[in-house]
Amino acid sequence: MTVDFSGVVPELALAVDRSADLPLGQQVQEALRTAIRAGRLRSGERLPSTRQLADQLGVSRGLVVSAYEQLFAEGYVVSAVGSGTRVADGLGVAADSTASGAVRPPVPAPVTGIDFGYGVPDLRAFPTRDWLWALGDAMRALPTADLGDGTTEGDDHLRAVLAGYHRRVRAGCAEPAGTIVVGGFRQGLTFVLGALAARGIERIGLEDPGPRDHDHIARRAGLRVSAVPIDPEGVLVDDLRASGARAVLLTPAHQCPTGAVLSPARRHELVEWAHQVDGVIVEDDYDAEFRYDRQPVGSLQGLAPDRVVALGSVSKTLAPALRVGWVFTPPRFRDGILTEKFLSCRGVPQLDQAALARLIETGRFDRHLRRVRDSYRQRRDTLVTAVDEHLAGASITGLDAGHHALLQLPPGVDEERVVAQAAAAGIAVRGLGDYRVTADDEAPRDPLPAALLIGFGNLTTRQIREGIGVLGEVVAARPS
Ligand SMILES: Cc1ncc(COP(=O)(O)O)c(C=O)c1O
């Protein structure tokens, strides 16, 4: 995307050296060529006016005019009346050289039709007016002193509000003192795992299948990874015990990606395991607010606050773009997590923290949740009906909570073929195979069933019907 800087004169960091042998005019030309070649100035971007650059460098305007003319002659820049001098089209930046073996960010699916992508809430339902109000209110009340760096823990008021929210809505027993504000779940996870490694935890069990990248995040924190199988009741605690791990990362309210809810018996087994091995359960409480058939299942943290570090964020309830999350930790991990955070960043934007506190404490957040919960329920029901109509032999599970479900393909249908042909037909969807975690031990693993993850939070009921209709045709089609 071209950056236009319309209406302002762009600044450009260039320097000339008066003691050098090279004449000043040539220095200016060369500095501009280098900036363009290196991608500091990109195609379509505007150069400063000749007067501004001359003032900045302390040289005559005529000298800069000649340098621009020279670059024009060489094809580096173009100029048009009214829009100044710009970098010419097609002048590339050196390609990004991602080291082999490095984790690449996921490539966005090349489709623009219907996107069943996992994990996106209804972005059109974002409570813009309430958020603007909360930001304005927070800004008006913000003491000037709070414009400096905040504390590493995060805004005191938000921490108290979050702990209260967790007790009230998630049946937890968080306390403000053990609450740390972070820039979303993933950032919090990085800090928590770093702190666990620093306290001597060597291995972590991850649910398999499980969310992409958590295996890599764990390794970067210095942990080894065991893949622990799950069944419809959640993680298999005997396998976790056999792995030798002393930490486990779980999505108890709605297993990601299968949607299984951790059963009461498993919850107790897990807590018992944690006590036996002096272990810790890291709870990813990511979409628990959306439970349709009954009251949300309480946070595991409420059952064993001394053994559970719970994390949450507003990425599923409001919007991922806000990047606000939290960690509720037992006292013994608190300093370690704070150290990780202190060494990585100066914190979460203060104004957003204050605004979120206002949104929650005035009831606007709850009101938003009630509204979107109803519309997610409708979408979920539409999904179930559409699957019934268009996908004979398929079954859909994980519907109790959240805004995604798992579509098990009929026997004999190849997952990769369906994903590829769906993409060609304008439907973006991911297969369960994308959620196989990589492990550091050799434990044999059963193959995963052929299944698709169906995110329905950010789609209209019409899109869900249409998309499932197309998927039905793709599934029924013969392999090409
Ligand atoms: C399993 C799981 N947990 C948590 C999150 C939220 O992460 P963050 O708060 O960093 O957006 C996601 C996001 O997609 C997720 O898939």
Side-chain angles (χ1 to χ4, degrees), residues 148-160:
D149 283 323
T151 61
T152 309
E153 293 90 327
D155 179 77
D156 283 348
H157 188 56
L158 176 62
R159 290 166 56 229

Side-chain angles (χ1 to χ4, degrees), residues 118-119 184-187 211 214 251 256 284 286 313 315-316 323:
Y118 154 81
F185 164 80
R186 184 178 283 228
Q187 190 192 55
H214 293 177
T251 42
C256 173
D284 174 3
Y286 71 111
S313 80
S315 292
K316 307 293 179 199
R323 286 287 118 232

Side-chain angles (χ1 to χ4, degrees), residues 100-118:
S100 65
V103 182
R104 289 165 192 277
V107 181
V111 281
T112 51
I114 295 173
D115 190 347
F116 283 114
Y118 154 81

Side-chain angles (χ1 to χ4, degrees), residues 118 180-193 204 206-207 210-215 217-218 248-252 256 281-287 309-316 319-320 322-328 337 348:
Y118 154 81
I180 300 168
V181 183
V182 290
F185 164 80
R186 184 178 283 228
Q187 190 192 55
L189 180 68
T190 308
F191 300 156
V192 168
L193 298 189
I204 186 165
L206 300 183
E207 295 171 310
R212 249 295 149 76
D213 297 341
H214 293 177
D215 40 8
I217 293 172
V248 66
L249 171 61
L250 299 176
T251 42
C256 173
I281 299 166
V282 182
E283 176 176 26
D284 174 3
D285 199 28
Y286 71 111
D287 67 359
V309 179
L311 295 102
S313 80
V314 295
S315 292
K316 307 293 179 199
L322 295 187
R323 286 287 118 232
V324 183
W326 48 88
V327 178
F328 301 122
I337 298 170
V348 176

Side-chain angles (χ1 to χ4, degrees), residues 15 17 65 93 120 171 183 186 190 230 234 251 272 278 293 296 304 335 344 346 348 371 383 387 433 454 467 478:
D17 179 359
V65 171
V93 185
V120 190
R186 184 178 283 228
T190 308
I230 54 163
T251 42
E272 201 182 306
D278 187 20
D293 51 347
D335 286 353
S344 329
R346 290 217 185 255
V348 176
R371 207 180 291 141
L383 175 65
V387 168
I454 305 287
R478 303 178 76 78

